[in-house]
Amino acid sequence: MEEDKPLASLSLTHVHYNPEDHLSFLSAWLALVPQALCVVYVTLVWATREVEVGLMFAGQLGCEALNFALKRIIKEERPKQMFGKGYGMPSSHAQFVSFFAVYMGLFLLSRHSPNLANDSLIFRIVASLGIALGSTAVAVSRIYLTYHTTRQVLAGCAVGVVFALAWFSFTGFLRSYGWVEWGLDHSVARLFRLRDLVVSEDLAEAGWQRWETKRKTRRSANGGRSSSKED
């Protein structure tokens, strides 16, 4: 009897596409971007313990919760030619990537100010535009794969942008009034070694400088021992 039971499909990664259409194949991969970004979020939160990354991830999850609620309030069906389940208004993919692009762009252009001689505003602008372009591709792919109508995707983008602006303002309020600093002084935050360096420091560059200093110290120590042996 167990063998007769039909199997279910995990719709989280199950994407319909036309295997003979290269753009459809690319769109299927673009559909996995939100899942990939969630993996990146969790990895960065665990590896860096940066409070800014945690705040952005919290906002991203809040945006997803809002999408979940809106779909069940509006109850608009997906396009008829789509075989998937669930409501389509607004597009969760479009809302997800819109939030990510807007919040990241605002962070790079107005909050992130690393004290580096080679820091370039142009580079941060280009990075923001690149993220926005990639997010647009993800949103358009939902229309191309007929998972959503153009109206559903545009609605998702609008909600994502508005929520990103609101959440960025809220996190700015927390910083301005010292709530972030207060939270970092809490015993729980100290237990998990939470920190707030990414706003004023390039983490890759800081890590590289510490690594270079450690290497130079080790080489100097090895050289000193070699000299003493020769004497």
Side-chain angles (χ1 to χ4, degrees):
M1 295 296 292
E2 291 293 332
E3 296 180 356
D4 296 333
K5 291 184 178 180
L7 299 177
S9 172
L10 183 61
S11 59
L12 184 66
T13 57
H14 191 74
V15 184
H16 291 279
Y17 72 97
N18 181 2
E20 298 179 357
D21 184 348
H22 295 301
L23 284 178
S24 182
F25 179 69
L26 175 61
S27 296
W29 280 102
L30 288 173
L32 302 180
V33 167
Q35 290 92 323
L37 286 176
C38 284
V39 173
V40 172
Y41 271 125
V42 173
T43 302
L44 286 176
V45 168
W46 177 256
T48 68
R49 313 298 174 95
E50 282 290 331
V51 67
E52 181 66 24
V53 180
L55 286 172
M56 185 176 175
F57 188 32
Q60 192 80 73
L61 294 178
C63 191
E64 281 296 286
L66 176 61
N67 180 268
F68 182 87
L70 288 175
K71 280 186 174 181
R72 281 147 187 81
I73 293 172
I74 300 173
K75 296 183 178 180
E76 182 173 301
E77 299 295 333
R78 293 177 184 270
K80 293 181 179 179
Q81 60 269 40
M82 219 297 288
F83 300 104
K85 300 178 181 179
Y87 298 116
M89 172 65 87
S91 166
S92 58
H93 277 71
Q95 188 171 323
F96 187 104
V97 294
S98 294
F99 174 91
F100 180 81
V102 172
Y103 193 100
M104 182 62 75
L106 290 171
F107 170 76
L108 290 174
L109 298 178
S110 66
R111 186 172 292 173
H112 183 53
S113 55
N115 187 20
L116 295 175
N118 60 348
D119 177 53
S120 173
L121 178 59
I122 296 178
F123 173 78
R124 283 186 273 158
I125 292 175
V126 171
S128 300
L129 291 175
I131 294 170
L133 182 62
S135 299
T136 301
V138 173
V140 172
S141 73
R142 305 307 289 169
I143 302 172
Y144 193 81
L145 291 174
T146 68
Y147 273 79
H148 293 282
T149 64
T150 301
R151 191 166 67 97
Q152 290 171 351
V153 167
L154 290 177
C157 290
V159 175
V161 169
V162 172
F163 194 87
L165 292 172
W167 189 255
F168 191 82
S169 299
F170 174 68
T171 56
F173 168 83
L174 294 179
R175 288 186 173 279
S176 298
Y177 286 87
W179 287 102
V180 170
E181 191 66 29
W182 174 84
L184 289 173
D185 286 334
H186 196 277
S187 58
V188 175
R190 296 183 65 80
L191 175 65
F192 286 98
R193 301 197 174 194
L194 300 184
R195 57 197 182 200
D196 191 28
L197 291 175
V198 72
V199 172
S200 59
E201 181 176 314
D202 186 291
L203 294 183
E205 182 66 22
W208 174 255
Q209 293 296 336
R210 287 194 292 269
W211 168 244
E212 283 291 283
T213 301
K214 184 177 181 179
R215 288 182 66 194
K216 290 177 181 178
T217 302
R218 187 171 57 208
R219 287 175 178 175
S220 297
N222 290 337
R225 285 198 295 271
S226 298
S227 299
S228 61
K229 288 181 180 179
E230 291 176 1
D231 293 340

